[in-house]
Amino acid sequence: MTGHVVVRHDVTFDSDGDSCAAWLFLPQGVERSPVVVLGHGLGASREMRVDAFAERFAAAGIAALAFTHRNFGTSGGALRQVVSIRQQLEDWESALRYVKAHPALDGSRVAVWGSSLGGGNAITVASRHPELAAAVAQCPFTSGVATSLALGPVSSARLLPAVLADLVAQARGGSPVLVPLAGEARAKALMAGPGVLEDCQSLMPAGETFRNEAAARIVPAIALSRPGRAARNVEAPILFCVCEQDTVTPPKPTLRYARRAPRGEVRTYPASHFDIYVGEQFEAAVADQTEFLVRHLDA
């Protein structure tokens, strides 16, 4: 594959007093390049194949900032492994401020890209920023009801005691009560299904370990969240990349919300939730996304 030589820089930016760790991928030979901000899914980090997408965009002449939310990975934050949608959206705002102020980037040509829970965040952020040039939502979390139903009653019931204990700990300022992020079908886990744990582990680089835990308090927030509703308020072109066999973020609500986006485009893939990060489905998705971003960022 031909394209620009890409240089990766380790950077950080401030988010409400904490640091977010990020990689900035710059295409050599491009002055004031357009840029896309990339955010990951539930309990993940930028290492879990977000960088693979960022590298491909940069090779096409679009700089890419792949960051890790506070409380996870090498980013700051005192409450480790605590997922807060509110905090994550603040991190996205901080990332946008960072790229808009960066001297090597064209702050007037900015896009956002999110996957899974990050896909829901990308929809929300895009709805709040009409100045964005484009947005991409990959296998996005759009409906808490659909995701909770997909988890199943057994896993949901097994999580309930930990959720209650963690909410009490939160109210009292105690340490978070952690539960597994991923597990097999009917497991006590935030994401449960055949092969889900192995899929999460496989996204980590060789020699690195997936930290399979997160605070249980996110469960009611997930159940009540419907970021897909914001699609109708996204003024920028937005591409929805939907996995047809997704059992983590079911496709039907996403397709329904996508139809309401004024400038929405949809691509579907014969894939499960994690297939789109690797192999044939990755190649198909990243090609579609690169074409979309190049077209709308005038790269």
Side-chain angles (χ1 to χ4, degrees):
M1 179 178 180
T2 60
H4 294 273
V5 174
V6 177
V7 179
R8 192 185 83 180
H9 301 268
D10 291 297
V11 300
T12 61
F13 58 87
D14 178 80
S15 186
D16 196 27
D18 289 314
S19 66
C20 284
W23 288 319
L24 178 61
F25 296 83
L26 292 177
Q28 285 194 332
V30 181
E31 293 185 10
R32 302 266 306 160
S33 62
V35 61
V36 55
V37 174
L38 296 93
H40 56 77
L42 177 70
S45 65
R46 68 192 192 279
E47 290 87 357
M48 296 177 72
R49 296 288 293 174
V50 177
D51 56 332
F53 290 88
E55 286 182 313
R56 293 289 278 270
F57 301 151
I62 302 169
L65 182 79
F67 77 95
T68 299
H69 293 112
R70 283 176 288 171
N71 302 331
F72 288 88
T74 54
S75 288
L79 295 175
R80 306 309 298 173
Q81 302 303 112
V82 171
V83 180
S84 165
I85 295 175
R86 177 188 59 80
Q87 276 196 345
Q88 289 191 357
L89 291 172
E90 291 173 356
D91 295 344
W92 281 81
E93 296 290 341
S94 299
L96 287 176
R97 286 193 294 272
Y98 176 83
V99 298
K100 288 179 179 181
H102 198 289
L105 307 175
D106 184 348
S108 68
R109 291 187 291 162
V110 180
V112 292
W113 178 103
S115 192
S116 195
L117 183 62
N121 288 339
I123 297 170
T124 301
V125 170
S127 74
R128 298 175 177 178
H129 287 272
E131 78 281 5
L132 290 175
V136 177
Q138 174 176 281
C139 53
F141 164 69
T142 56
S143 168
V145 172
T147 293
S148 298
L149 290 174
L151 181 63
V154 174
S155 291
S156 297
R158 288 177 174 171
L159 284 170
L160 185 58
V163 171
L164 295 175
D166 195 29
L167 291 173
V168 170
Q170 182 182 15
R172 295 177 175 176
S175 298
V177 177
L178 304 178
V179 295
L181 272 163
E184 292 305 306
R186 301 164 67 88
K188 175 186 174 181
L190 299 179
M191 298 181 291
V196 169
L197 178 56
E198 289 78 7
D199 286 337
C200 289
Q201 292 169 330
S202 72
L203 300 184
M204 292 297 294
E208 296 192 30
T209 302
F210 169 59
R211 185 171 176 181
N212 187 29
E213 56 185 5
R217 68 190 65 173
I218 190 57
V219 171
I222 289 287
L224 295 172
S225 181
R226 287 190 289 171
R229 292 183 299 177
R232 63 188 176 187
N233 298 320
V234 176
E235 296 184 19
I238 179 169
L239 176 64
F240 295 85
C241 294
V242 181
C243 297
E244 296 172 333
Q245 291 132 36
D246 197 328
T247 59
V248 177
T249 55
K252 284 186 179 180
T254 298
L255 293 172
R256 184 173 66 250
Y257 288 126
R259 288 193 290 269
R260 301 174 186 173
R263 302 175 68 187
E265 299 180 29
V266 176
R267 303 287 186 276
T268 60
Y269 307 90
S272 66
H273 187 76
F274 295 98
D275 290 342
I276 203 166
Y277 293 95
V278 294
E280 180 181 347
Q281 300 305 328
F282 164 76
E283 294 295 338
V286 78
D288 289 341
Q289 294 166 12
T290 301
E291 185 279 329
F292 174 84
L293 290 170
V294 166
R295 176 162 35 104
H296 291 292
L297 290 169
D298 193 25

